Each structure stands twice: as C-alpha cells, then as structure tokens.
Amino acid sequence: MNGRAIANTVSLPNAAPNLQMVGFLKAIAAPALTPALSVTTDSRVAITAADALATAPIEASAVLSLNGLVTATDPNDFYRFNLAQSGVFTASLAGLTGDADVRLLQDKNQNGAIDPGEILAWQWERGSTNESIRRFLAAGDYFVQVMGYNGQTANYSLATGFTPAVSDSQAFEFGITFGQSLSALTQAARDAIASAAEFWESLIISRSAITRSNRLDLVIRGESLTTANGSPDTGTLALSGPQFDLDGPNLVISGGISTINLRRLAEFNANPGYLRDIMVHELGHILGLGTLWEPVRFANSGGTIFEVGKTLIDRTTTTYRANTYAGWVYGELLKTFTQMAIPIEAQIFAHWDEGRFDTELMTPFAETPGVSVPTSQLTLAALRDLGWNVNMGAAQAYALSGFAPVPTMAQATVQPTGARSDRAAYRASCACRTCLAASKVHELGSSSGLSRLIL
Ligand SMILES: [Ca+2]
Ligand SMILES: [Ca+2]
Ligand SMILES: [Ca+2]
Ligand SMILES: [Ca+2]
Ligand SMILES: [Zn+2]
Ligand SMILES: [Zn+2]
C-alpha cells in the first residue's frame, strides 16, 4: 500500500556530474517511415513528430519545446524519449486553436500500439483549454502524444520537463485498517480490498484540494445490516462514505469508512474477486462519487456551519449536470460531442442510472460475480468534477449498448424490477435521513467537535 511500486523499485544511478537533467546516449534515429513534421528548436537537435507510435524516433532529450499541428487527416504526433533515471515528468499543451490533448504513454509490451494500461497520464480538457500532465516515472522509454480530439484541427505548443527524483512526493495512497468485526474475513479477501485501494492509487495522480493530503485513512469494518423495519438485510453488500476534517475554514476528505454486510461474508470469502469489484465501487463513494455530488453541511457547537461537496446533480430532473467533465464524457458516449445531462438513479441520487449504465462501476446494483464492471471515463470525469487529479487514460473500455430510453420523471421514481430485483445493491450512503441512519457514516472525528446537519 505504500505508494507506487515504481517508486520503490527504481534505484537512481550515480548522479552525472553535469547538469544534464535527462541523460541518454542514443543518437537520433533514422527519420520516421511516414512523413513527419520536424520542428527545430535548437540548432543542433531536430525534434521529430511521428504519426505512429512504432515509427517515433527517440528524441535527443526528454525536455522538449516545440510547435505543431494536428488535423483530421493527421490526428497524432508522437514524441519518444528515454529516461536514464527516475523522476517527475511534466508536459503542457498551450496555444491551442482547436481541441487537442496531450498524453503520456509507455509501450509496455512493445507492440507499437497503445494497449490498456499504457496511457500513464491524460488530463482530458475539452475545447481549446490548455492541458498539463505530471507523472513520476521510472527510467525507461516513453512517448508524449499530441492527439486531435474528434478530428479537430489544432495548432499547439508543447513543452515538457523532467526533474530527477527517487520517489514521488505527491503519490496518493490509502491506509487501511480492518476492524475487529471483520476477524472472519480471510487473508485473500483482505488482499482483494487492498487491491481495490491500489486500483484507485494507480489512477489518482497526486493530491488535490479536495483532500490536501497524500493519504486517506480507511477503516473497513463489518456489521450484520438490518433494514429500516429491523429485519435482516441480506440485499445490501456494503456501505461507505467519506470522513472529513477541517483544514483552516474548509472541510476536506480525511478518510472514510466502509461497512461490509456480515450477512454476505461467506460469499466474499469464497470469491475475493467479487469483493474486490465491490470495494472498488465502495472506495469510489469514499472519494466522493455520489456522496459529495451535493453539499454536505456540518455545524460546530457554536453553530458555525461548514459545508463540503459540490452542486453536481439536479434532483428534480434526476440528472447529473451537463456543464461538467462527466457531461462531456456522456456526450462522447452518445456521440453528440456536446455536454449532456446524465441520468442518475432515482431516489438514491448517488449513482449513475442502473438502466442506462448497467455494468458501469458506479451504478447502484452489482453485477453477477465474474461480470466485468468497468470504471469508465464517465466515473473518472466525475472524480475530476470533484477536484481529484486523475489519469483519464486509466479508464476501462465502456460503451452504451441497448440502453433503455431516458426515463421520464414519473418512470424514474420506480424501483428496479424484474431481473434486477434479485441483484445486490451496494447502497451508497447519501445525504438523506434514511441513508444517514442506516449507514452511520459521514462521521467527523470526535476531536473536531462538529456534528452532521441532517437534511
Ligand atoms: Ca502527425
Ligand atoms: Ca484538449
Ligand atoms: Ca503496447
Ligand atoms: Ca450495475
Ligand atoms: Zn454505491
Ligand atoms: Zn439517502
């Protein structure tokens, strides 16, 4: 759980005596096979923009500064570089006359193609907004890609930087504590929960204002959940929500609590992979997905009110607002390429709509064990809307398929029926009275002297 493996396995070679930030010895390779744009920024060094990953020559330096152009017929420029030691790599894209994106890539399997897990950083800004990425890298071969979005023509200025370092001072991590109530949880199941945490650690690039810390403390505990009328609740898998601390006058996420339903414990012990998928979803709630889509208010003993959270959803239309990063992603999924309001689950309000998004991670009902539950760009964009720095390139493949029509408001209040009624619900905690009573989450540390205001 301690940071990236990448940070712990790299040993820094003896520092070169000169001030060269990036050391490597390869000469500039032969010109790319396809026509390439060459921009000279230094009388000694030509920078070559290749049209394909496979044909990109290694540049003379990882520190690049150049102007380029992508178009509908030439949508990609690849720049390859080599790092002789680990450190923090940055890239910025500015001067855009259209929408282009900058991405950091590593061809891990060296097949000349971009495969899942090979996009290391992608900020994903729409319009002609500047972009900037940052990633701690081990020594090795990497690529910067400038990519036109949806066939747009864009002039761009690309600048990259590299600062040697042995580890990443901004690496994000979860610290996990298992409660006594989970003593019957097997080691394999605990490892599955750790793996769920590592999934988020790998795609949250650095700390941000929503936490102001590199680390979130997680408490995982067990409870035999009961329904509102006191009968055993066998349908709920787990409940989770963030905890907050005051940072000056601001509430920030300090950690979270996940409560696993002990009535399902045998199932989790028997199928750790299923538990992992469930916990990826649950930790999403701790990061604020669903739980901070609306403001949450606390008061101290003196009556001062503190608020945390955003105004991302509209309960009257049961949608997540269009004017968001997630709204852009939904427009891309619908192929309108405009910002679209996103259906969310009626009554719960803390998930994407199950009928529309089905297997996506942050829908309210879990899938059959073994069915893949992709963490799509929609969910990663929603993290960005909350203020997290994430790698949009870590999103898993997802497409809308055979979805039902957008529910009307009347339909939207109907509970899932039929085949879905036997599905287990993750049941997020939300800001309503029912959820608060059921989940006992959103607790502040006792030292903070704050109490939650019930809406
Ligand atoms: Ca090109
Ligand atoms: Ca862009
Ligand atoms: Ca590859
Ligand atoms: Ca689902
Ligand atoms: Zn949930
Ligand atoms: Zn609720």
Side-chain angles (χ1 to χ4, degrees), residues 50-53 64 70 75-81 89 91 93 100-106 114 118-122 131 133 142-148 156 158 160:
D51 289 337
L53 202 65
L64 306 172
V70 285
N76 289 299
D77 289 342
F78 293 95
Y79 305 91
R80 184 177 179 182
F81 62 95
F89 177 82
L93 203 60
D101 289 10
V102 60
R103 312 200 297 184
L104 174 67
L105 313 173
Q106 184 177 29
I114 304 166
E118 294 187 340
I119 303 170
L120 305 184
W122 185 10
E131 301 199 357
I133 54 177
Y142 299 94
F143 300 82
V144 170
Q145 175 189 19
V146 178
M147 178 180 71
Y156 66 85
L158 172 69
T160 67

Side-chain angles (χ1 to χ4, degrees), residues 149-172:
Y149 181 75
N150 194 28
Q152 292 194 33
T153 292
N155 287 102
Y156 66 85
S157 297
L158 172 69
T160 67
F162 179 73
T163 306
V166 291
S167 63
D168 185 2
S169 63
Q170 292 197 37
F172 171 79

Side-chain angles (χ1 to χ4, degrees), residues 347-348 428-435:
Q347 299 183 333
I348 305 174
S429 53
C430 77
C432 80
R433 201 179 296 269
T434 304
C435 287

